[in-house]
């Protein structure tokens, strides 16, 4: 048996494929694939503190040597080191955040934010793209594509131009992308297709087109993407001295990240490298609540790998017949048909996890508190803290629990809603964002209009600083 292979997640199929194949889904049954390792044949330390090459001892030279993903290469061992691709991703931080902690109602000593916005393209997607590009490099792909709400496409475009290994083609729902992200894809030279429709349409089309044209697909149906995304969990645990937190809270869109997090955690647990499993909370926006609704209202579960497919089919049929489209100002997670739904059900099962949804108002309010600790994130990321707060209020998360919320994307990705929140009157805010249910900006830091006069400026500075 080889040391790593691809395997269908459905227990009745469980077909295996070698690493050299490029398969967006199981050719036998159409389900998602996992990367599975024969850990007995792979060298791993018995003490987790010995995992991960510490930054101070990284070898000099070569992009891969500087990667916060590949320094955990022992835990994602599907590629020979010389095939690894990196743009210096994964230099992210686990930070304390006293303001966000008090807003969420959690002890500031036990609350942390994992700031993945520090990645080279400004989001966690670079972790996964390092994995997908490495596999693409192994199989000699020359063209790669994705559908995206913006961050995956920015990451793909950056990797393609930085590595020079392949051309990038991106499928965007026309008008469904924040400008920060669109500007990245255009600037990095990706072939940028604005598909008339939304993300769910773009996702369906890219799967068809890439299969027909033999294009390498880097969306998170690609199991190698998720191997890279496991490393966020390693960095959280490393930041906590390998003390396992009680909760990991992350936003949910296409549900790749949550699926990858759980895989990282249960692999470590199965290997005896951590002794307890954190619980995972996956937070949808109420404008795109598929996971939350299916789990909480329709009782959908992993069910040993055989989720009730009728519940899912009926839900999607209802979306079609009612014309209900995803609609949230957290555009990164504006997704109604998450491709990793089944893997995420497994993630919830393996971590005793929960799903919930929060309103766009809750998201923007949480975002303002996160930023008070000097951590800027885009709206979708703030769903994590908004979700943690909601779970504290529901009595699910205890005040003294140790909690790590994942900030998935940088503030500068999508500054429009931020500027509106802080500078619009509430009337103008309702006019612009009322369609998303945003009516107030209770935690706004209003800019001050001053005359072009030293006296007026000093007067305003004194009043503003005295008020604090
Ligand atoms: N946060 C941000 C900033 C994202 O860009 C995404 C997904 C998510 C959270 C949700 O993560 O899909 O793994 O559940 N963005 C994708 C994209 C869909 O195309 O960039 P997920």
């Amino acid at each position: 048996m080889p040391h790593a292979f691809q395997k269908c997640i459905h227990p009745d199929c469980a077909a295996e494929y070698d690493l050299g194949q490029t398969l967006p889904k199981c050719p036998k049954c159409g389900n998602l694939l996992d990367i599975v390792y024969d850990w007995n044949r792979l060298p791993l330390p018995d003490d987790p503190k010995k995992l991960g090459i510490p930054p101070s001892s990284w070898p000099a030279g070569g992009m891969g040597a500087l990667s916060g993903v590949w320094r955990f290469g022992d835990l994602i061992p599907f590629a020979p080191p010389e095939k690894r691709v990196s743009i210096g991703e994964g230099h992210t931080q686990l930070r304390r955040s006293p303001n966000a902690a008090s807003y969420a109602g959690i002890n500031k000593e036990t609350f942390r934010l994992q700031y993945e916005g520090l990645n080279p393209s400004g989001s966690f997607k670079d972790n996964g793209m390092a994995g997908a590009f490495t596999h693409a490099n192994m199989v000699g792909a020359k063209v790669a594509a994705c559908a995206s709400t913006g961050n995956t496409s920015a990451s793909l475009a950056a990797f393609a131009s930085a590595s020079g290994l392949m051309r990038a083609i991106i499928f965007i729902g026309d008008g469904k992308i924040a400008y920060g992200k669109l500007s990245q894809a255009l600037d990095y030279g990706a072939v940028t297709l604005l598909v008339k429709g939304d993300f769910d349409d773009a996702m369906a089309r890219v799967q068809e087109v890439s299969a027909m044209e033999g294009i390498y697909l880097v969306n998170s149906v690609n199991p190698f993407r998720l191997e890279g995304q496991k490393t966020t969990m390693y960095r959280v645990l490393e930041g906590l001295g390998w003390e396992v937190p009680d909760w990991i809270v992350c936003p949910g869109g296409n549900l790749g990240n949550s699926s990858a997090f759980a895989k990282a955690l249960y692999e470590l647990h199965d290997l005896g490298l951590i002794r307890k499993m954190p619980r995972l909370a996956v937070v949808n926006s109420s404008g795109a609540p598929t996971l939350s609704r299916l789990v909480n209202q329709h009782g959908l579960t992993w069910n040993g790998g055989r989720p009730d497919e009728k519940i899912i089919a009926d839900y999607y049929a209802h979306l079609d017949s009612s014309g209900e489209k995803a609609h949230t100002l957290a555009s990164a997670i504006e997704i109604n048909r998450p491709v990793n739904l089944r893997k995420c059900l497994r993630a919830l099962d393996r971590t005793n996890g929960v799903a919930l949804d929060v309103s766009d108002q809750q998201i923007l309010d949480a975002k303002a508190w996160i930023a008070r600790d000097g951590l800027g994130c885009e709206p979708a990321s703030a769903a994590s803290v908004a979700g943690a707060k909601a779970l504290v209020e529901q009595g699910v998360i205890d005040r003294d629990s140790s909690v790590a919320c994942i900030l998935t994307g940088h503030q500068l990705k999508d500054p429009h809603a931020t500027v509106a929140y802080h500078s619009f009157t509430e009337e103008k805010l309702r006019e612009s964002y009322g369609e998303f249910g945003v009516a107030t900006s209770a935690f706004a830091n209003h800019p001050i209009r001053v005359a072009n006069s030293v006296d007026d400026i000093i007067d305003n500075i004194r009043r503003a600083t005295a008020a604090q």
Side-chain angles (χ1 to χ4, degrees):
M1 188 167 82
H3 74 280
F5 51 95
Q6 308 185 65
K7 183 173 179 183
C8 175
I9 66 166
H10 200 287
D12 298 335
C13 174
E16 295 179 5
Y17 306 94
D18 64 55
L19 295 178
Q21 299 194 57
T22 302
L23 303 167
K25 55 189 175 186
C26 174
K28 288 206 175 113
C29 75
N31 258 290
L32 295 164
L33 297 170
D34 264 338
I35 307 303
V36 176
Y37 302 102
D38 177 9
W39 296 108
N40 291 327
R41 299 184 46 198
L42 293 160
L44 274 179
D46 47 11
D47 177 356
K49 292 200 171 109
K50 293 186 191 139
L51 287 168
I53 305 167
S56 56
S57 57
W58 284 349
M63 288 175 109
L66 297 174
S67 170
V69 166
W70 296 116
R71 73 188 180 87
F72 292 102
D74 286 353
L75 293 165
I76 44 172
F78 67 81
E82 67 278 9
K83 291 287 179 189
R84 291 174 181 171
V85 182
S86 167
I87 61 169
E89 61 289 327
H91 293 271
T92 60
Q93 298 173 352
L94 187 72
R95 299 261 294 260
R96 286 176 191 273
S97 181
N99 278 299
S102 80
Y103 178 67
I106 297 170
N107 186 336
K108 65 180 184 336
E109 299 302 324
T110 59
F111 181 84
R112 299 283 190 287
L113 293 175
Q114 175 67 20
Y115 193 23
E116 290 297 309
L118 291 178
N119 270 293
S121 82
S123 86
F124 74 94
K125 303 287 179 177
D126 293 340
N127 300 312
M129 211 52 73
F133 254 69
T134 294
H135 182 252
N137 194 25
M138 285 163 68
V139 299
K142 292 283 167 255
V143 186
C146 71
S148 183
T149 56
N151 283 326
T152 305
S153 55
S155 183
L156 165 57
F159 267 82
S161 54
S163 70
L165 287 168
M166 53 205 106
R167 278 309 295 277
I169 303 182
I170 65 168
F171 290 55
I172 305 290
D174 196 0
K176 297 287 186 184
I177 181 170
Y179 258 35
K181 306 172 190 183
L182 181 58
S183 65
Q184 289 179 290
L186 296 172
D187 223 13
Y188 294 138
V191 176
T192 304
L193 306 171
L194 304 176
V195 180
K196 200 166 176 191
D198 63 8
F199 172 83
D200 294 318
D201 298 314
M203 188 69 227
R205 297 297 83 73
V206 77
Q207 286 177 286
E208 291 159 2
V209 171
S210 57
M212 289 163 76
E213 295 291 298
I215 295 171
Y216 190 89
L217 187 64
V218 299
N219 277 106
S220 52
V221 287
N222 180 327
F224 298 95
R225 261 273 308 273
L226 299 194
E227 289 306 293
Q229 284 173 213
K230 291 189 321 193
T231 60
T232 300
M233 284 303 98
Y234 306 146
R235 294 192 295 272
V236 168
L237 290 167
E238 186 183 54
L240 293 171
W242 295 91
E243 288 292 322
V244 179
D246 299 314
W247 285 92
I248 302 286
V249 189
C250 69
N254 231 358
L255 304 179
N257 224 16
S258 42
S259 303
F261 290 175
K263 186 172 190 282
L265 295 166
Y266 63 70
E267 283 175 350
L268 288 174
H269 193 256
D270 292 349
L271 286 165
L273 288 164
I274 56 173
R275 304 240 172 274
K276 85 169 197 198
M277 285 288 280
R279 296 183 70 186
L280 186 64
V282 185
V283 191
N284 283 154
S285 161
S286 309
T290 295
L291 178 74
S292 168
R293 275 206 209 148
L294 285 174
V295 168
N296 299 319
Q297 292 175 18
H298 299 271
L300 185 66
T301 62
W302 172 238
N303 189 31
R306 297 172 191 88
D308 188 338
E309 292 294 332
K310 186 169 180 321
I311 295 180
I312 303 172
D314 287 351
Y315 183 77
Y316 288 158
H318 156 78
L319 290 182
D320 285 340
S321 63
S322 64
E324 192 179 323
K325 295 279 183 191
H327 191 54
T328 164
L329 66 71
S331 59
I333 52 173
E334 193 175 50
I335 295 171
N336 258 352
R337 292 170 193 263
V339 294
N340 286 297
L341 174 63
R342 291 156 188 83
K343 276 190 182 173
C344 186
L345 294 172
R346 178 179 66 180
L348 296 178
D349 184 74
R350 295 288 305 255
T351 63
N352 189 21
V354 298
L356 70 158
D357 57 274
V358 293
S359 70
D360 286 358
Q361 180 74 61
Q362 288 170 292
I363 286 175
L364 286 189
D365 289 342
K367 193 170 105 50
W369 280 89
I370 294 163
R372 287 183 186 190
D373 292 310
L375 292 155
C377 68
E378 63 169 287
S381 309
S384 59
V385 172
K389 177 177 165 61
L391 290 169
V392 170
E393 283 162 2
Q394 291 166 24
V396 178
I397 294 184
D398 292 334
R399 193 189 176 279
D400 290 319
S401 298
S402 121
V403 179
C405 290
I406 314 300
L407 297 185
T408 45
H410 200 279
Q411 181 186 44
L412 299 176
K413 291 280 191 173
D414 184 5
H416 282 84
T418 309
V419 173
Y421 186 89
H422 289 293
S423 62
F424 285 8
T425 60
E426 294 208 335
E427 192 189 348
K428 194 165 169 214
L429 193 67
R430 275 193 291 277
E431 241 170 68
S432 306
Y433 291 99
E435 61 173 304
F436 299 112
V438 175
T440 62
S441 52
F443 311 112
N445 171 31
H446 291 286
I448 306 166
R449 289 228 146 69
V450 293
N452 185 10
S453 115
V454 167
D455 286 350
D456 193 42
I457 290 172
I458 291 176
D459 197 37
N460 272 286
I461 291 174
R462 288 197 179 140
R463 254 185 288 143
T465 49
Q468 276 168 8

